[in-house]
């Protein structure tokens, strides 16, 4: 029974092209020169292409977020469409991150603190193979908490039962790698039913996830080599957050309003 409860957390644990041509009336010498110049885009062309690509990314990001917000609120959106939206958001957020890494990373840290309910997860790649590639909404109440306002920064994963009884909660600390949008974390304590507190080594946590197939075997390898589990963060705003886990799975969370937090 204990192993089933512990393993639940590891479920916690997704261009525009322009054509140019030269006038036919140009002399051979002039045409040759223009062709050479045409192979090297001018600053104005580069700027136009970059601006167009950025604008397209902004539109796709907003479209993906609208669908994901609906999914987080109702759980009625088709799971495959949710997966496609997270994948699209991940692609376009990477482009936005390249434009201004510091600002993008700062925006994530400004928004990440608080309580987040897990809404949707693809699970790890290993888990996907076991389930035949099926994806769906997360069936039970799972809350992930972040506090980036203190040092060390705090992370908590919890699974809740009827009447919001905390069946199991892991706590630990995390660091944020701004250059990679990566949250690296360890859990070092566990609480059972809100009554029993146990100190727990990160290797023990990683092993539970790997042996049950619910966590990533990669986390166990990371722990053995002295490295931490991680999320590659995609987005975080007032309503939703998205990330890709170290095991390759994608996840969608819904922010829990402050007046509903524990």
């Amino acid at each position: 029974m204990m192993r089933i409860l512990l393993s639940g957390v590891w479920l916690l644990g997704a261009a525009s092209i322009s054509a140019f041509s030269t006038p036919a009336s140009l002399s051979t010498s002039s045409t040759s020169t223009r062709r050479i110049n045409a192979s090297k885009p001018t600053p104005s062309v580069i700027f136009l292409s970059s601006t167009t690509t950025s604008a397209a990314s902004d539109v796709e990001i907003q479209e993906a977020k609208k669908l994901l917000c609906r999914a987080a609120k109702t759980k009625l959106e088709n799971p495959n469409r949710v997966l496609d939206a997270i994948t699209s958001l991940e692609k376009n957020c990477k482009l936005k991150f390249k434009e201004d890494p510091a600002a993008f990373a700062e925006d994530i840290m400004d928004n990440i603190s608080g309580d987040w309910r897990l809404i949707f997860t693809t699970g790890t790649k290993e888990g996907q193979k076991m389930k035949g590639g099926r994806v769906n909404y997360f069936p039970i109440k799972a809350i992930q908490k972040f506090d980036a306002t203190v040092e060390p920064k705090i992370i908590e994963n919890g699974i809740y039962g009827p009447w919001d009884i905390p069946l199991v909660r892991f706590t630990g600390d995390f660091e944020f790698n701004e250059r990679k949008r990566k949250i690296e974390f360890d859990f070092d304590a566990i609480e059972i039913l809100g009554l029993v507190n146990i100190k727990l080594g990160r290797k023990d946590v990683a092993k539970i996830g790997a042996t049950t197939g619910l966590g990533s075997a990669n986390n166990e390898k990371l722990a053995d080599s002295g490295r931490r589990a991680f999320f590659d963060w995609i987005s975080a705003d007032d309503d939703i957050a998205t990330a890709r886990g170290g095991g390759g799975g994608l996840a969608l969370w819904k922010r829990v309003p402050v007046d509903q937090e524990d």
Side-chain angles (χ1 to χ4, degrees):
M1 181 63 180
M2 178 73 74
R3 173 162 291 185
I4 293 174
L5 290 175
L6 297 181
S7 64
V9 172
W10 288 94
L11 285 169
L12 306 176
S16 179
I17 300 175
S18 299
F20 299 89
S21 60
T22 56
S25 59
L26 292 176
S27 65
T28 303
S29 175
S30 176
T31 302
S32 175
T33 301
R34 288 295 182 89
R35 284 174 179 168
I36 292 173
N37 290 338
S39 66
K40 299 178 181 179
T42 63
S44 60
V45 173
I46 294 173
F47 176 78
L48 176 61
S49 176
S50 175
T51 302
T52 303
T53 301
S54 179
S57 293
D58 288 340
V59 170
E60 291 183 12
I61 286 173
Q62 292 308 312
E63 289 178 348
K65 283 188 174 183
K66 285 180 181 178
L67 187 146
L68 294 176
C69 282
R70 292 198 303 270
K73 184 178 181 179
T74 68
K75 290 190 174 182
L76 296 177
E77 295 292 330
N78 183 290
N80 289 321
R81 292 192 65 203
V82 176
L83 178 57
D84 288 343
I86 300 176
T87 303
S88 173
L89 185 62
E90 180 181 41
K91 177 194 71 175
N92 286 292
C93 281
K94 284 181 178 179
L95 295 176
K96 299 299 291 184
F97 176 72
K98 289 179 180 179
E99 291 176 10
D100 193 340
F104 195 97
E106 182 179 1
D107 185 61
I108 289 176
M109 278 294 96
D110 286 345
N111 284 290
I112 198 171
S113 291
D115 290 15
W116 299 89
R117 180 164 181 169
L118 183 62
I119 298 296
F120 180 93
T121 178
T122 64
T124 65
K125 290 182 178 178
E126 295 98 323
Q128 279 293 293
K129 290 178 181 178
M130 293 171 62
K131 294 187 296 183
R134 294 189 303 274
V135 294
N136 215 326
Y137 293 96
F138 200 74
I140 58 179
K141 185 175 182 179
I143 301 291
Q144 190 154 43
K145 299 182 180 181
F146 295 95
D147 188 351
T149 66
V150 297
E151 288 295 339
K153 298 177 179 64
I154 297 172
I155 182 173
E156 178 186 294
N157 273 351
I159 298 290
Y160 294 79
W163 304 288
D164 285 340
I165 296 173
L167 301 179
V168 58
R169 287 192 291 208
F170 284 96
T171 56
D173 66 272
F174 75 92
E175 296 176 340
F176 184 60
N177 185 326
E178 295 182 0
R179 294 188 303 106
K180 297 181 178 180
R181 312 181 329 280
K182 178 180 289 187
I183 284 181
E184 299 173 300
F185 62 93
D186 284 323
F187 293 117
D188 57 16
I190 181 174
E191 180 185 271
I192 306 296
L193 299 175
L195 300 172
V196 181
N197 291 282
I198 306 170
K199 280 292 183 181
L200 194 67
R202 63 184 181 185
K203 289 186 178 181
D204 296 325
V205 177
K207 188 173 183 179
I208 291 171
T211 54
T212 59
L214 297 176
S216 170
N218 185 57
N219 286 344
E220 190 174 11
K221 295 176 182 177
L222 290 172
D224 287 338
S225 64
R227 292 180 291 169
R228 312 178 94 184
F230 64 88
F231 287 116
D232 287 327
W233 218 254
I234 299 172
S235 69
D237 57 34
D238 291 339
D239 302 307
I240 59 171
T242 54
R244 182 180 289 276
L250 291 165
L252 166 67
W253 291 269
K254 176 179 70 174
R255 186 184 293 277
V256 179
V258 175
D259 60 358
Q260 295 180 24
E261 293 179 4
D262 293 341

